[in-house]
């Protein structure tokens, strides 16, 4: 998939662990891990909203598009 | 309120298995009658009350056609029961809302359509060979509505299963 998730970089910049973020936005670590590793098929606006509030960032800081990567339908 | 469907599902499995065996026995009986119609003289015309001397020439062939249609019916019922058992098993396994079950429902609907068409054909042949016991099976709206309902349900099931598949992997 051409969409890259940069959650790891944002967490690292704020010295926050995945477990801590999961607890603060009330999502299981397993689900957040799926998002972090780029295995998620979709992200809810409510999840994005919660992450952006806690990490004080914009959706664009978390997601990026790389046209060189194959699409999910390939 | 939810207890009745739960009990119904619990009872469904053994009931379907018993019906499958009965249906296969019924098929064996029809097959035996069909073979007998070629071996035993005037069978089954004579036991049904036909006088071999005066009956029309097409009566034995009509009766054999009815027996063959009976075998097709057994096949369709068997297919329905197998698909139904698979659906019941998927409920027991905890994941019934899948595309496979939608396809199974669709197959059941097609089989029921086949059975209803067979029933009409049997009535027609019965009338042609003057079998009085088949004369009362006229057109009935109920089965056709049930078939329509099944096709609609299969479509709804298919859409629901695809929507659920879309939601899988959503965080």
């Amino acid at each position: 998939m051409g969409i890259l998730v940069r959650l790891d970089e944002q967490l690292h910049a704020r010295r926050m662990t995945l477990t801590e973020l999961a607890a603060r936005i009330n999502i299981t670590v397993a689900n957040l891990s799926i998002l972090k590793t780029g295995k998620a098929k979709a992200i809810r606006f409510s999840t994005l909203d919660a992450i952006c509030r806690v990490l004080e960032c914009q959706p664009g800081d978390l997601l990026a598009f790389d046209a060189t990567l194959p699409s999910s339908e390939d | 309120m939810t207890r009745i469907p739960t009990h119904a599902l619990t009872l469904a499995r053994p009931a379907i298995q018993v019906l499958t065996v009965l249906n296969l026995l019924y098929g064996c009986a029809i097959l035996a009658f069909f073979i007998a119609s070629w071996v035993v003289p005037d069978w089954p015309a004579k036991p049904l009350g036909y006088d071999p001397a005066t009956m029309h020439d097409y009566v034995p062939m009509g009766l054999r056609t009815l027996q063959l249609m009976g075998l097709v019916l057994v096949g369709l019922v068997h297919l329905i029961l197998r698909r139904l058992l698979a659906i019941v098993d998927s409920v027991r396994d905890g994941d019934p809302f899948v595309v496979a079950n939608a396809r199974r429902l669709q197959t059941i609907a097609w089989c029921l359509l086949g059975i209803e068409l067979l029933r009409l054909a049997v009535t027609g042949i019965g009338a042609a060979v003057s079998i009085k016991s088949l004369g009362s099976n006229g057109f009935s709206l109920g089965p056709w509505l049930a078939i329509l309902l099944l096709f609609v349900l299969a479509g709804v099931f298919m859409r629901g299963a695809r929507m659920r598949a879309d939601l899988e992997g959503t965080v």
Side-chain angles (χ1 to χ4, degrees):
Chain A
M1 192 186 291
I3 300 294
L4 299 170
V5 181
R6 292 189 167 144
L7 184 59
D8 220 13
E9 289 96 315
Q10 295 299 322
L11 283 170
H12 190 257
R14 285 156 187 79
R15 309 225 179 274
M16 192 184 283
T17 63
L18 197 70
T19 311
E20 195 182 340
L21 177 64
R24 287 184 67 178
I25 64 174
N26 202 22
I27 282 180
T28 63
V29 178
N31 269 345
L32 209 52
S33 181
I34 288 171
L35 179 65
K36 194 188 84 167
T37 52
K39 288 175 186 164
K41 282 187 189 170
I43 179 167
R44 290 190 182 90
F45 279 148
S46 57
T47 307
L48 198 57
D49 176 279
I51 295 172
C52 287
R53 278 178 199 278
V54 172
L55 297 181
E56 293 174 341
C57 64
Q58 291 297 314
D61 299 327
L62 292 166
L63 302 171
F65 173 65
D66 185 349
T68 60
L69 292 172
S71 82
S72 57
E73 288 172 7
D74 288 344
Chain B
M1 285 295 282
T2 54
R3 274 195 170 184
I4 294 169
T6 309
H7 286 306
L9 276 171
T10 312
L11 292 172
R13 199 168 203 286
I16 291 167
Q17 285 171 328
V18 168
L19 286 173
T20 304
V21 172
L22 288 176
N23 184 54
L24 288 174
L25 288 174
Y26 179 60
C28 289
I30 295 175
L31 188 64
F33 286 146
F34 182 72
I35 293 166
S37 75
W38 295 94
V39 179
V40 182
D42 302 325
W43 173 274
K46 208 169 179 180
L48 283 171
Y50 288 97
D51 181 3
T54 58
M55 71 179 179
H56 286 291
D57 292 341
Y58 56 73
V59 168
M61 200 45 71
L63 291 173
R64 282 187 192 117
T65 309
L66 287 178
Q67 286 164 344
L68 276 179
M69 290 167 98
L71 285 174
V72 174
L73 182 78
V74 167
L76 290 173
V77 171
H78 186 74
L79 210 60
I80 289 175
L81 291 170
R82 299 304 298 173
R83 296 297 183 276
L84 205 53
L85 190 66
I87 291 173
V88 169
D89 281 348
S90 74
V91 175
R92 198 183 53 174
D93 295 341
D95 192 16
F97 300 107
V98 289
V99 173
N101 273 350
R103 293 213 175 96
R104 286 174 186 136
L105 267 180
Q106 216 166 37
T107 306
I108 291 172
W110 280 113
C111 287
L112 280 179
L113 181 67
I115 288 171
E116 199 53 27
L117 290 173
L118 263 181
R119 201 176 67 82
L120 288 178
V122 164
T123 307
I125 293 170
V129 296
S130 307
I131 300 174
K132 283 174 186 162
S133 61
L134 296 172
S136 60
N137 291 341
F139 178 83
S140 170
L141 195 63
W144 294 99
L145 281 175
I147 291 164
L148 185 68
L149 181 70
L150 262 180
F151 273 117
V152 170
L153 268 180
V156 170
F157 220 87
M158 183 73 82
R159 181 69 66 90
R162 285 191 176 142
M163 282 171 73
R164 203 196 72 158
D166 278 349
L167 276 176
E168 274 177 6
T170 299
V171 177

